[in-house]
Amino acid sequence: MYGSWSGRRTRAWAVAAGAVLLLASCSSDDGKGGKPAVTQQPKDNDPYWVNPDGNAARQVAAYRKDGDDKNAELIKKIADQPVGEWIGPDNPEAEAKGYTEAAAKADRDALLVLYNIPHRDCGQFSKGGAADGNAYRAWVDQVAAGIGDRRATVILEPDAVLHLVDSCTPQEFHEERFDLLKGAVERLKQQPNTKVYLDAGNAGWSQPDALFDPLRRAGIDRADGFAVNVSNFYPTAASKEFGQKLSAKVGGKHFVIDTSRNGNGPYTGGDPKENWCNPPGRALGEAPTTDTGNPLVDAYLWVKRPGESDGDCRGGPKAGEWWPEYALGLARATN
């Protein structure tokens, strides 16, 4: 249901070994040769890298080039913030290396999302994933090699644990998935400066007790913690409460919250089964920061990239494709 790389091409700069030199210390031009489209946030409370060549930054530059300063400033609300870089299936080592080298050059940490588990998304807009367990292990190994000793925070496999307990993933794949997730945590933690947060669903999940043992079997003990509300819309307060309950059951592990689109909470109109997909009237949430005021909450992050489609529902493009109209809606609704 996430698909933040599905349907989009991997940019050449993320694949080419030397391309990070173009991105590391400067931001995208505004389209007029003037001020940069984006800048890095202060490191003390937001250590994550802002991609100067992301979709939102490009949109800002395009609006400025057309003289549309009003919409440029709206999209800049997104472009100025660090967002997750979702690693694609084809060139994982080169992508991970490109992102982490660019982040290191800017003296920031990379935020990466791994979403390639076999049988992911149970046939929805982002169905697919690695061909089998061996392909997935090789893919994770390449991601880890690409990260090297640079600083990175990895959000591991949105929905993968939740779908083991909501009857979405067939029982025949459960044991393999636990093994793959645990193995991914262990492999990524071999990198000296990599933090790993295993996805643990959202505050809308009605049976949190059912998640404790699956998280344990998926390797939460070796991870730095878990992530909640990825690509979802539940308010930060509800996500904190949900995360604290999970933490108490999994050894006091810390967690991070995806606040990318939760400014107005979840959508309650229409078919409840479709309210996760490009819901109208949503807003950006709290800006990414490690200054959360809660000792268990390591960071508010924008894991889902605001402005990228959840899927071809409600008039949206394919999952993961940039949708400027939706991005503008998020920005306009944000205080």
Side-chain angles (χ1 to χ4, degrees):
M1 69 188 280
Y2 299 101
S4 282
W5 54 257
S6 178
R8 67 175 173 86
R9 293 182 179 178
T10 301
R11 292 199 183 99
W13 67 265
V15 178
V20 294
L21 298 176
L22 299 175
L23 301 170
S25 60
C26 61
S27 299
S28 293
D29 188 89
D30 67 354
K32 299 178 181 178
K35 61 183 178 180
V38 302
T39 57
Q40 300 299 323
Q41 293 293 324
K43 185 181 177 182
D44 57 347
N45 68 352
D46 188 2
Y48 294 100
W49 176 62
V50 179
N51 184 348
D53 198 40
N55 283 326
R58 290 182 172 211
Q59 188 69 68
V60 170
Y63 280 141
R64 284 180 175 165
K65 184 176 181 180
D66 292 341
D68 190 350
D69 290 339
K70 180 179 180 180
N71 279 340
E73 287 305 305
L74 284 170
I75 297 300
K76 203 169 187 300
K77 293 181 181 181
I78 299 172
D80 279 348
Q81 302 301 331
V83 298
E85 302 293 349
W86 295 60
I87 302 298
D90 298 327
N91 296 288
E93 183 171 350
E95 284 195 45
K97 182 178 180 181
Y99 292 130
T100 55
E101 284 189 347
K105 189 73 173 181
D107 193 25
R108 296 296 189 275
D109 298 2
L111 177 61
L112 308 179
V113 187
L114 304 195
Y115 183 53
N116 196 33
I117 201 81
H119 317 293
R120 69 166 193 224
D121 207 31
C122 304
Q124 297 191 71
F125 294 114
S126 299
K127 64 182 178 180
D132 54 35
N134 287 336
Y136 184 75
R137 293 183 187 95
W139 182 79
V140 170
D141 190 61
Q142 291 176 64
V143 171
I147 292 172
D149 62 358
R150 291 173 290 277
R151 298 192 307 269
T153 293
V154 175
I155 308 301
L156 184 61
E157 294 300 340
D159 260 359
V161 172
L162 186 64
H163 282 339
L164 290 169
V165 297
D166 69 359
S167 301
C168 186
T169 300
Q171 183 69 38
E172 64 193 274
F173 301 130
H174 284 203
E175 289 302 319
E176 178 189 59
R177 178 164 296 182
F178 283 127
D179 181 69
L180 293 177
L181 291 171
K182 185 176 182 180
V185 171
E186 293 174 350
R187 177 63 187 91
L188 291 164
K189 288 304 296 177
Q190 291 178 24
Q191 307 313 117
N193 295 305
T194 296
K195 296 180 179 179
V196 181
Y197 293 88
L198 184 62
D199 186 74
N202 58 72
W205 178 241
S206 60
Q207 303 176 53
D209 289 357
L211 293 171
F212 305 148
D213 186 61
L215 283 170
R216 180 188 61 79
R217 295 178 66 187
I220 190 64
D221 289 349
R222 295 288 301 275
D224 293 88
F226 56 90
V228 300
N229 203 49
V230 172
S231 292
N232 223 300
F233 304 88
Y234 289 94
T236 301
S239 296
K240 284 182 182 177
E241 182 179 358
F242 176 75
Q244 287 170 168
K245 289 179 180 178
L246 286 181
S247 176
K249 298 290 187 176
V250 292
K253 286 289 185 177
H254 289 204
F255 59 99
V256 297
I257 301 172
D258 184 356
T259 60
S260 58
R261 304 183 298 175
N262 72 348
N264 282 342
Y267 181 62
T268 57
D271 184 348
K273 294 180 180 180
E274 297 179 355
N275 285 352
W276 61 270
C277 192
N278 299 323
R282 301 310 91 199
L284 305 172
E286 290 95 337
T289 182
T290 53
D291 185 13
T292 68
N294 187 308
L296 284 176
V297 184
D298 286 345
Y300 300 148
L301 302 174
W302 285 9
V303 182
K304 170 67 179 183
R305 300 149 68 97
E308 292 187 0
S309 178
D310 294 314
D312 53 0
C313 54
R314 295 191 170 94
K318 292 181 179 179
E321 290 191 2
W322 175 250
W323 188 6
E325 293 80 11
Y326 196 81
L328 286 169
L330 291 171
R332 290 192 188 103
T334 303
N335 295 327

